[in-house]
Coordinates of all heavy atoms in Angstrom, one line a residue:
G410 N 33.1 -53.6 92.6 CA 32.7 -54.6 91.7 C 32.6 -54.2 90.3 O 32.3 -55.1 89.4
D448 N 29.6 -35.4 50.2 CA 30.4 -36.2 49.3 C 29.8 -37.6 49.2 O 29.7 -38.2 48.0 CB 31.8 -36.3 49.8 CG 32.7 -36.9 48.8 OD1 32.8 -38.2 48.7 OD2 33.4 -36.2 48.0
E480 N 38.0 -33.4 55.5 CA 39.1 -32.6 56.1 C 39.3 -33.0 57.5 O 40.4 -32.9 58.0 CB 38.8 -31.1 56.0 CG 39.9 -30.2 56.4 CD 39.7 -28.7 56.3 OE1 38.7 -28.3 55.6 OE2 40.4 -28.0 57.0
D482 N 39.6 -35.8 58.7 CA 40.5 -36.9 58.8 C 41.9 -36.4 59.2 O 42.7 -37.1 59.7 CB 40.6 -37.6 57.5 CG 39.4 -38.5 57.2 OD1 38.5 -38.6 58.0 OD2 39.4 -39.0 56.0
G532 N 41.0 -52.3 54.2 CA 40.4 -53.5 53.6 C 38.9 -53.3 53.2 O 38.3 -52.4 53.8

Side-chain angles (χ1 to χ4, degrees):
D448 188 275
E480 185 179 344
D482 287 355

